[in-house]
């Protein structure tokens, strides 16, 4: 009998030890969610909803706070996470544009972005829109090719949003003036409303909460959205399903009679791959304990089925983000950050070309 009792205790011992280890990692601690853009933008709004719910899915239920570190189109906060932030598992970055910044200008990263620990990828898309009072008057997406004195507003020359707007407009042959350097989408939207700029693109959450009301009032007109692309075929991002908007390639086909070709098109496809499947990345500093990485990967996946989180996300942003994670995520992200040398060279030159617009 004593032998059977001992065997039972031994059988339960590993789970008990593992649970205690998980509890001790975050119990009584504070987890910081670092956002690489200013407060008020789509990344910040999304991260704050995330922060309000993620704690209860982490063993030890830590207190969760949000810290904004905007600047340089998201680069300052992204670099801080890899170069300065503690590697104790108590900070994770909720990052937008980091993947594209690395692909375009890897030399700006003192610590190789591929060495970060990736917790989750958040696939999404981008919806483009313009003021309806752009001459000679914009009523439909097809009117874009007639636009005069279009002023495109962005966050940074190598930001994915800026690259997407410029690449698509250049493929369509639409002349425009390019203004960049807004610290957040919130600032760019204010500039749009003040008529400082007349063309912009933003995420589905911002579209649902801030852009769509202006579409309905007739102040803005949508042009197209960036589709998903896995390197072989296009897809409709979850947030775009049901919207009466064409993806860029379908609008282009309608206007030009076929798909575009050439370096601009190849660059755009690579942009869709890097920033469609990895539109946002949740990451931790290189060298973070693997126990923390594994714990947080499990926690973000639980949010996909968290009814309270989904309800608040839908109320706040119009849609709940989809968190994609698995044990091989590091390898998948690092592979996605690898581009053909000729495409990479073109994109780097294209970014520099934005200085003269």
């Amino acid at each position: 009998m004593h032998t059977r009792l001992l065997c039972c205790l031994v059988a339960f011992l590993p789970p008990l030890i593992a649970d205690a280890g998980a509890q001790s990692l975050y119990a009584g601690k504070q987890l910081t969610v670092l956002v690489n853009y200013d407060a008020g933008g789509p990344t910040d709004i999304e991260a704050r909803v995330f922060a309000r719910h993620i704690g209860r899915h982490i063993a030890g239920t830590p207190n969760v706070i949000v810290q904004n570190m905007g600047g340089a189109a998201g680069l300052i906060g992204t670099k801080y996470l890899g170069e300065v932030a503690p590697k104790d598992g108590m900070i994770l970055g909720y990052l937008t544009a980091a993947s594209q910044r690395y692909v375009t200008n890897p030399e700006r990263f003192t610590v190789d972005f591929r060495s970060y620990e990736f917790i989750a990828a958040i696939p999404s898309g981008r919806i483009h829109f313009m003021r309806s009072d752009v001459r000679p008057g914009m009523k439909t997406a097809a009117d874009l090719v007639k636009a005069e004195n279009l002023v495109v507003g962005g966050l940074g020359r190598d930001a994915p949003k800026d690259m997407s707007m410029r690449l698509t407009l250049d493929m369509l042959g639409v002349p425009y003036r390019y203004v960049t350097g807004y610290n957040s989408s919130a600032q760019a939207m204010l500039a749009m409303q003040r008529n400082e700029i007349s063309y912009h693109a933003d995420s589905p959450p911002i579209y649902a909460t801030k852009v769509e009301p202006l579409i309905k009032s007739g102040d803005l007109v949508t042009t197209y959205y960036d589709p998903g692309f896995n390197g072989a075929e296009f897809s409709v991002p979850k947030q775009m399903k049901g919207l009466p908007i064409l993806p860029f390639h379908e609008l282009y086909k309608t206007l030009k009679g076929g798909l575009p070709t050439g370096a601009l098109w190849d660059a755009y496809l690579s942009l869709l791959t890097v920033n469609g499947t990895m539109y946002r990345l949740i990451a931790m500093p290189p060298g973070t304990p693997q126990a923390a990485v594994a714990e947080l990967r499990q926690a973000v996946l639980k949010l996909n089925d968290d009814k309270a989180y989904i309800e608040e996300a839908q109320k706040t942003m119009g849609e709940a983000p989809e968190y994609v994670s698995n044990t091989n995520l590091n390898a998948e992200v690092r592979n996605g950050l690898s581009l053909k040398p000729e495409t990479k060279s073109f994109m780097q030159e294209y970014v520099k070309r934005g200085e003269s617009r």
Side-chain angles (χ1 to χ4, degrees), residues 16-32 55 57-63 87-91 119 284 287-299:
L16 289 172
I17 292 174
D19 184 62
Q23 289 286 343
S24 64
L25 185 61
Y26 285 106
K29 301 291 182 64
Q30 179 169 280
L31 176 66
T32 297
H57 297 296
I58 302 172
T61 56
N63 180 46
K87 306 177 187 301
D88 57 1
M90 299 303 153
I91 185 169
I119 304 303
M284 302 182 84
T288 296
Q290 289 303 300
V293 172
E295 178 69 30
L296 287 170
R297 282 178 178 165
Q298 293 177 18

Side-chain angles (χ1 to χ4, degrees), residues 102-175:
Y102 175 77
V103 165
T104 307
N105 293 113
E107 70 279 359
R108 298 191 68 179
F109 287 77
T110 305
V111 174
D112 192 328
F113 185 58
R114 292 173 299 180
S115 68
Y116 288 35
E117 293 288 346
F118 298 103
I119 304 303
I122 308 169
S124 187
R126 208 173 283 106
I127 300 174
H128 300 238
F129 50 90
M130 59 185 168
R131 288 179 61 99
S132 60
D133 58 3
V134 170
R135 292 201 307 252
M138 302 288 107
K139 294 182 179 179
T140 68
D143 291 334
L144 175 61
V145 294
K146 307 173 187 176
E148 300 173 7
N149 301 319
L150 195 70
V151 182
V152 175
L155 307 182
R157 287 184 296 111
D158 55 353
K161 182 180 300 187
D162 294 49
M163 294 283 284
S164 176
M165 291 188 291
R166 290 179 56 212
L167 286 165
T168 52
L169 290 172
D170 284 343
M171 280 186 277
L172 287 169
V174 178

Side-chain angles (χ1 to χ4, degrees), residues 23-298:
Q23 289 286 343
S24 64
L25 185 61
Y26 285 106
K29 301 291 182 64
Q30 179 169 280
L31 176 66
T32 297
V33 177
L34 178 72
V35 179
N36 66 332
Y37 280 90
D38 291 344
T43 309
D44 175 69
I45 293 170
E46 189 172 302
R48 289 180 184 275
V49 178
F50 171 89
R52 283 194 285 273
H53 294 269
I54 192 66
R56 65 175 175 272
H57 297 296
I58 302 172
T61 56
N63 180 46
V64 182
I65 65 168
V66 174
Q67 177 185 355
N68 293 88
M69 191 174 291
L75 185 62
I76 290 176
T78 301
K79 290 185 64 176
Y80 174 88
L81 185 68
E83 298 172 15
V84 181
K87 306 177 187 301
D88 57 1
M90 299 303 153
I91 185 169
L92 77 160
Y94 206 103
L95 311 174
T96 293
S99 54
Q100 184 60 36
R101 298 304 299 274
Y102 175 77
V103 165
T104 307
N105 293 113
E107 70 279 359
R108 298 191 68 179
F109 287 77
T110 305
V111 174
D112 192 328
F113 185 58
R114 292 173 299 180
S115 68
Y116 288 35
E117 293 288 346
F118 298 103
I119 304 303
I122 308 169
S124 187
R126 208 173 283 106
I127 300 174
H128 300 238
F129 50 90
M130 59 185 168
R131 288 179 61 99
S132 60
D133 58 3
V134 170
R135 292 201 307 252
M138 302 288 107
K139 294 182 179 179
T140 68
D143 291 334
L144 175 61
V145 294
K146 307 173 187 176
E148 300 173 7
N149 301 319
L150 195 70
V151 182
V152 175
L155 307 182
R157 287 184 296 111
D158 55 353
K161 182 180 300 187
D162 294 49
M163 294 283 284
S164 176
M165 291 188 291
R166 290 179 56 212
L167 286 165
T168 52
L169 290 172
D170 284 343
M171 280 186 277
L172 287 169
V174 178
Y176 60 90
R177 182 164 63 89
Y178 174 50
V179 178
T180 193
Y182 294 102
N183 280 338
S184 67
S185 291
Q187 289 186 11
M189 281 301 300
L190 286 174
M192 174 77 87
Q193 291 171 334
R194 292 193 294 260
N195 204 17
E196 294 174 11
I197 62 175
S198 53
Y199 192 94
H200 191 55
D202 226 319
S203 64
I206 289 297
Y207 177 83
T209 57
K210 296 183 179 181
V211 177
E212 194 169 32
L214 295 174
I215 300 291
K216 292 179 178 178
S217 68
D219 295 305
L220 299 178
V221 176
T222 52
T223 54
Y224 42 81
Y225 68 80
D226 293 332
F229 185 68
N230 63 5
E233 58 185 6
F234 295 103
S235 62
V236 180
K238 173 184 174 183
Q239 298 92 336
M240 311 302 187
K241 291 179 179 177
L243 293 179
I245 309 170
L246 288 175
F248 169 73
H249 65 288
E250 291 294 345
L251 179 66
Y252 185 97
K253 192 186 300 183
T254 299
L255 294 171
K256 304 290 186 178
L259 290 178
T261 58
L264 290 169
W265 178 238
D266 291 340
Y268 181 62
L269 293 180
S270 72
L271 188 75
L272 295 181
T273 302
V274 172
N275 284 284
T277 57
M278 298 182 286
Y279 176 66
R280 301 200 210 284
L281 286 170
I282 299 179
M284 302 182 84
T288 296
Q290 289 303 300
V293 172
E295 178 69 30
L296 287 170
R297 282 178 178 165
Q298 293 177 18

